[in-house]
Amino acid sequence: MKRIRFFQTVQWKVVILYLLLILIAMQVIGAYFIRATESYYLNNFNETLNTQANLLAVNVEKYLEEENIPREDIDNLIHNLFALRNADVQLLDQNGIVLTTTEENKAFIGQKNTRAEINMALLGTRNESIQYNPETRQRVKVLALPIKKGTKILGVLYMVASMEEVYHTMRQINGIFATGTVLALLLTAALGIVLSRTITTPVKEITRQATAMVGGDFNGQVRIYSEDEIGQLGETFNLLTRKLKQALSQTEAEKEKLSSILTNMTDGVIAADGNHNIILVNKPAQRILGVGYKKVLGKNLYEVLAIPGEEEWDFLFKENGSMLMDMNVDGEERLIRFSFTVLKSRGEEEKSGIIAVLQDVTEQEAMEKERKEFVANVSHELRTPLTTLKSYLEALEEGVIDDPALSRRFLRVLLNETDRMTRLVTDLLQLSRYDAGQYMLDLQPLSVHELLQDVSERFALRSQQEKIALRLDLPVDSLPLVKADRDNIIQVLDNLISNSMKYSNENTTVVIRAHKEENAVRIEIIDEGMGIRRRDLDRIFERFYRVDKARSRSAGGTGLGLSIARQIVLVHGGTIEIDSEWQKGTRVSFTLPLYGENEDEA
Ligand code: ATP
Ligand code: MG
């Protein structure tokens, strides 16, 4: 808070105002009062002087009429009658000769006084005047009064009275008045300071609180000193503080919510202002872009996204567009979809910002691709047998039907193709059931010994026909029971053994082995066939994946066998692996979990 100089404070102004008011009041009152007092005293003085003069004149008159004026009588009379302090009187005859005086200096007696006032009085005119005596520095009242009998001038009464007493009194009154004024001013000043403080203290407090609020502190409250307007101001201010605090904490909470949503969402979010300068980047977006928050804040969105020309890509920002970009996220190649939303403030045509949402769509796109491939594969697999069916049926229609031997052969092909299609559809149905999580397993304790013997017996005939030896290599001691669905496991073994036979040449051996591992029994099917190239091994479990399509198809394969086998083994809680050496042979092995003792009891 800036410090105010004292002369600029309200306190000072109030004090000055009070002082001026008092001063003016005192001046006005003083002017009237002193004028009135002065005129009262002067009138009083004049009246006394005149009364004295008239009294003397009346008494002296009879003495002046006499031939020989009795000086002693006049002397006595004047001395006895004249009772004015600080005043002197001279009595002069009709020639202006001083008959008697009250002055100390009696030398004037018998001499002629030629003052102008006396001369005028001798002519019959009474006159009085106030004169300044430079010697005594005093003002005196001079009065010359003719003493007449009818029209005859008998003499003159000449009076000089000092007015000093009157003025002295006046000065005293003035003095009292001045001291009073000074005292009143001092008191007023003190009172003014105290009074103005009752105004300035709350105002100062409000200012202090407001300054604290500017600094972000909304916890203080202003003290209320009184119930007047200033008190009301203080109360309103306190209310304002509370409301502001509430509003602020609400905004703060909203901000908090928004920011926690932004940080905790998996999608990246970038917000930019109307000039495409970035104002917000959440954590996932930072991870995708591989940049820190501080580095991109305030930067141009185009630059940060490494989009070359503004014009070229402007459509993305003008309308709400989206684009896919390959990005390197944490060292991995990921496909990111950028969706742009242009923000427009209500009523404004100018865009006020852009929000870009960054989604990692790698898996989504891969799945989509897989799905498309799957549909293509299915259609393709179905089309081949259907084409065959059609051509054979056409041939039959065109006359082959009349040749019984050929017809029979054709019908066998037709049946084969139909079987193939049925198998394909059954496999697909099974897979889609598994995809939907419908396994319908009937888990039972299963003896691997028995199971493998059964299966190998089923292949005995085929082994003879194809001249491929099938050998069962089982441990001497009986293997523990496994927990499995017999039909499903037979399906797995069927496929694996038939694969081995399909992709092996004559005079080779297929070995079926089994041994116990820690919590499972491992079953292996090993052949000496054509093997699988390394590059194909990784994809061998994919649906419809066949290394040699022609050969597989001619052998009646669809490429679904291994993926079904894998699905079944995984559902049982086992694992399946394949390793192979090109032109040397292949080994497929899978595990089945043991049938626990406790489960036996259950
Ligand atoms: P299906 O089993 O559906 O009748 P298929 O046998 O062609 O058809 P899979 O069992 O899934 O399909 O096998 C996929 C591919 O893996 C085969 O087409 C084949 O190329 C290769 N393959 C599988 N087992 C062997 C093996 N023992 N030796 C060599 N190649 C194999
Ligand atoms: Mg197969």
Side-chain angles (χ1 to χ4, degrees), residues 236-262:
T236 317
F237 189 82
N238 282 342
L239 187 68
L240 177 75
T241 314
R242 283 197 295 276
K243 291 268 164 183
L244 262 174
K245 192 177 161 185
Q246 263 176 18
L248 265 174
S249 65
Q250 257 175 17
T251 339
E252 203 64 23
E254 290 296 318
K255 240 172 95 179
E256 201 69 10
K257 256 192 262 172
L258 187 69
S259 93
S260 79
I261 289 171
L262 280 174

Coordinates of all heavy atoms in Angstrom, one line a residue, residues 236-262:
T236 N -20.6 -4.6 4.3 CA -20.7 -4.9 2.9 C -19.4 -5.5 2.3 O -19.4 -6.4 1.6 CB -21.2 -3.7 2.1 OG1 -22.2 -3.0 2.8 CG2 -21.7 -4.2 0.7
F237 N -18.3 -4.8 2.8 CA -17.0 -5.3 2.3 C -16.7 -6.7 2.8 O -16.2 -7.5 2.0 CB -16.0 -4.3 2.8 CG -14.6 -4.5 2.2 CD1 -14.3 -4.0 1.0 CD2 -13.7 -5.3 2.9 CE1 -13.1 -4.3 0.4 CE2 -12.5 -5.5 2.3 CZ -12.2 -5.0 1.1
N238 N -17.1 -6.9 4.0 CA -16.9 -8.3 4.6 C -17.7 -9.3 3.8 O -17.2 -10.4 3.5 CB -17.2 -8.4 6.0 CG -16.2 -7.7 6.9 OD1 -15.0 -7.6 6.5 ND2 -16.5 -7.4 8.1
L239 N -18.9 -8.9 3.5 CA -19.8 -9.8 2.7 C -19.2 -10.1 1.3 O -19.1 -11.2 0.9 CB -21.2 -9.2 2.5 CG -22.2 -10.0 1.9 CD1 -22.6 -11.1 2.8 CD2 -23.4 -9.2 1.6
L240 N -18.7 -9.0 0.8 CA -18.0 -9.1 -0.6 C -16.8 -10.1 -0.5 O -16.7 -10.9 -1.4 CB -17.6 -7.7 -1.0 CG -16.8 -7.6 -2.3 CD1 -17.7 -7.8 -3.5 CD2 -16.0 -6.3 -2.4
T241 N -16.0 -9.9 0.6 CA -14.9 -10.8 0.8 C -15.3 -12.3 0.8 O -14.7 -13.1 0.1 CB -14.1 -10.5 2.1 OG1 -14.0 -9.1 2.1 CG2 -12.8 -11.1 2.1
R242 N -16.4 -12.5 1.6 CA -16.8 -13.9 1.8 C -17.3 -14.5 0.4 O -17.0 -15.6 0.0 CB -17.9 -14.0 2.8 CG -17.4 -13.9 4.2 CD -18.5 -14.4 5.2 NE -19.7 -13.5 5.2 CZ -19.8 -12.4 5.9 NH1 -18.8 -12.0 6.7 NH2 -20.9 -11.7 5.9
K243 N -18.1 -13.6 -0.3 CA -18.7 -14.1 -1.6 C -17.5 -14.4 -2.6 O -17.5 -15.4 -3.3 CB -19.6 -13.0 -2.2 CG -20.9 -12.9 -1.4 CD -22.0 -13.7 -1.9 CE -23.0 -13.8 -0.9 NZ -24.1 -14.5 -0.9
L244 N -16.6 -13.5 -2.6 CA -15.5 -13.6 -3.5 C -14.7 -14.9 -3.2 O -14.3 -15.6 -4.1 CB -14.5 -12.4 -3.3 CG -14.7 -11.3 -4.4 CD1 -13.8 -10.2 -4.0 CD2 -14.3 -11.8 -5.8
K245 N -14.5 -15.1 -1.9 CA -13.8 -16.3 -1.5 C -14.5 -17.5 -1.9 O -13.9 -18.5 -2.5 CB -13.7 -16.3 0.1 CG -12.7 -17.3 0.6 CD -12.5 -17.1 2.1 CE -12.0 -18.4 2.7 NZ -11.9 -18.3 4.1
Q246 N -15.8 -17.5 -1.7 CA -16.7 -18.7 -2.1 C -16.5 -18.9 -3.6 O -16.2 -20.0 -4.1 CB -18.1 -18.4 -1.9 CG -18.6 -19.0 -0.6 CD -20.1 -18.6 -0.3 OE1 -20.8 -18.1 -1.2 NE2 -20.5 -18.7 0.9
A247 N -16.7 -17.8 -4.4 CA -16.7 -17.9 -5.8 C -15.3 -18.4 -6.3 O -15.2 -19.3 -7.1 CB -16.9 -16.5 -6.4
L248 N -14.3 -17.9 -5.6 CA -12.9 -18.3 -6.0 C -12.7 -19.7 -5.7 O -12.1 -20.5 -6.5 CB -11.9 -17.5 -5.2 CG -11.4 -16.2 -6.0 CD1 -10.5 -15.4 -5.1 CD2 -10.6 -16.7 -7.2
S249 N -13.1 -20.2 -4.5 CA -12.9 -21.6 -4.2 C -13.7 -22.5 -5.1 O -13.3 -23.6 -5.5 CB -13.2 -21.9 -2.7 OG -14.5 -21.7 -2.5
Q250 N -14.9 -22.0 -5.5 CA -15.7 -22.7 -6.5 C -14.9 -22.9 -7.8 O -14.8 -24.0 -8.4 CB -17.0 -22.1 -6.8 CG -18.1 -22.7 -6.1 CD -19.4 -22.0 -6.2 OE1 -19.6 -21.1 -7.1 NE2 -20.4 -22.3 -5.4
T251 N -14.4 -21.7 -8.3 CA -13.6 -21.8 -9.6 C -12.4 -22.7 -9.4 O -12.1 -23.5 -10.3 CB -13.1 -20.4 -9.9 OG1 -13.9 -19.4 -9.2 CG2 -13.2 -20.1 -11.4
E252 N -11.8 -22.6 -8.2 CA -10.6 -23.4 -7.9 C -11.0 -24.9 -8.0 O -10.3 -25.7 -8.6 CB -10.1 -23.0 -6.5 CG -8.7 -23.3 -6.3 CD -7.8 -22.4 -7.2 OE1 -8.2 -21.4 -7.7 OE2 -6.7 -22.9 -7.4
A253 N -12.2 -25.2 -7.4 CA -12.6 -26.6 -7.4 C -12.9 -27.1 -8.8 O -12.5 -28.2 -9.2 CB -13.8 -26.8 -6.5
E254 N -13.5 -26.2 -9.6 CA -13.8 -26.6 -11.0 C -12.5 -26.8 -11.7 O -12.4 -27.8 -12.5 CB -14.6 -25.4 -11.6 CG -16.0 -25.2 -11.1 CD -16.9 -26.4 -11.4 OE1 -16.8 -27.0 -12.5 OE2 -17.7 -26.8 -10.5
K255 N -11.6 -25.9 -11.5 CA -10.3 -26.0 -12.2 C -9.6 -27.3 -11.8 O -9.1 -28.0 -12.7 CB -9.4 -24.8 -11.8 CG -9.0 -24.0 -12.9 CD -8.3 -22.8 -12.5 CE -6.8 -22.9 -12.5 NZ -6.1 -21.7 -12.1
E256 N -9.7 -27.6 -10.5 CA -9.1 -28.8 -10.0 C -9.7 -30.0 -10.6 O -9.0 -30.9 -11.1 CB -9.4 -28.9 -8.5 CG -8.5 -29.7 -7.7 CD -7.1 -29.1 -7.6 OE1 -6.8 -28.0 -8.0 OE2 -6.2 -29.9 -7.2
K257 N -11.1 -30.0 -10.7 CA -11.8 -31.1 -11.3 C -11.3 -31.3 -12.8 O -11.0 -32.4 -13.2 CB -13.3 -30.9 -11.3 CG -14.0 -31.6 -10.2 CD -15.5 -31.5 -10.5 CE -16.1 -30.5 -9.6 NZ -17.5 -30.2 -9.9
L258 N -11.3 -30.2 -13.5 CA -11.0 -30.2 -14.9 C -9.6 -30.8 -15.1 O -9.3 -31.6 -15.9 CB -11.1 -28.8 -15.5 CG -10.9 -28.8 -17.0 CD1 -12.1 -29.4 -17.7 CD2 -10.8 -27.3 -17.4
S259 N -8.7 -30.2 -14.2 CA -7.3 -30.6 -14.4 C -7.1 -32.1 -14.0 O -6.3 -32.8 -14.7 CB -6.3 -29.7 -13.6 OG -6.1 -30.2 -12.4
S260 N -7.8 -32.6 -13.0 CA -7.7 -34.0 -12.7 C -8.3 -34.9 -13.8 O -7.8 -36.0 -14.1 CB -8.2 -34.3 -11.3 OG -9.6 -34.4 -11.3
I261 N -9.4 -34.4 -14.4 CA -9.9 -35.1 -15.5 C -8.9 -35.2 -16.6 O -8.6 -36.3 -17.2 CB -11.3 -34.5 -16.0 CG1 -12.3 -34.7 -15.0 CG2 -11.7 -35.1 -17.3 CD1 -13.6 -33.9 -15.2
L262 N -8.3 -34.0 -16.9 CA -7.4 -34.0 -18.0 C -6.2 -34.8 -17.8 O -5.7 -35.5 -18.7 CB -7.0 -32.5 -18.2 CG -8.0 -31.7 -19.0 CD1 -7.5 -30.2 -19.0 CD2 -8.1 -32.2 -20.4

